[in-house]
Amino acid sequence: QVQLVESGGELVQPGGSLKLSCTAFGRTISRTTVAWFREAPGKEREFVAAFFRSNSVPHYADSVKGRFTISRDNAKNTVYLHMSSLKQDDTAVYYCATDSTIILSSVRDFRQYDYWGQGTQVTVSS
């Protein structure tokens, strides 16, 4: 059984920074695809960032490129999302997800992932 546990979401002012964590149980994150998605009220879940399998090159959505950084600590089996220069448009529930069979061309498609965390709320507001 695979379980993902996210943490770190909170209220932050525009321009601020935040770090989200996602710890995996039952799956080794260094050898599998792990991604961050977000879902704002009334909007479809959208891709944020990912590592494809053991490849160390990250993938980012254009909307967060240069502001967000995905990283992983293999010893802790944890993936992080470092967010900076936050905007009100970044307000959403952030989810991490993993899949062991996804292909590279589908990394940005939330429908291809088989395990999800419970989500953590990030609110950017003054």
Side-chain angles (χ1 to χ4, degrees):
Q1 182 70 16
V2 177
Q3 186 180 11
L4 301 174
V5 179
E6 300 120 332
S7 63
E10 62 180 61
L11 172 65
V12 62
Q13 291 189 340
S17 300
L18 206 57
K19 185 177 82 171
L20 306 183
S21 302
C22 171
T23 300
F25 300 90
R27 179 165 290 176
T28 303
I29 61 149
S30 62
R31 298 198 294 263
T32 194
T33 299
V34 184
W36 286 97
F37 288 84
R38 65 187 182 184
E39 188 171 330
K43 295 186 178 180
E44 188 174 76
R45 192 166 296 191
E46 67 170 348
F47 171 78
V48 175
F51 283 116
F52 176 68
R53 299 184 186 172
S54 59
N55 194 306
S56 61
V57 176
H59 301 264
Y60 294 103
D62 288 343
S63 59
V64 306
K65 202 172 292 184
R67 300 188 300 121
F68 291 12
T69 302
I70 187 172
S71 64
R72 55 188 168 190
D73 184 333
N74 295 336
K76 295 182 179 180
N77 214 35
T78 297
V79 175
Y80 302 98
L81 185 67
H82 306 259
M83 306 185 292
S84 62
S85 302
L86 283 162
K87 307 173 183 178
Q88 289 188 325
D89 286 349
D90 295 317
T91 295
V93 177
Y94 283 71
Y95 299 90
C96 66
T98 184
D99 192 274
S100 60
T101 63
I102 197 169
I103 59 176
L104 181 57
S105 61
S106 297
V107 163
R108 298 166 186 261
D109 184 355
F110 70 90
R111 293 162 293 192
Q112 304 300 320
Y113 286 79
D114 55 1
Y115 291 102
W116 292 83
Q118 81 283 359
T120 186
Q121 176 71 48
V122 173
T123 302
V124 184
S125 175
S126 54

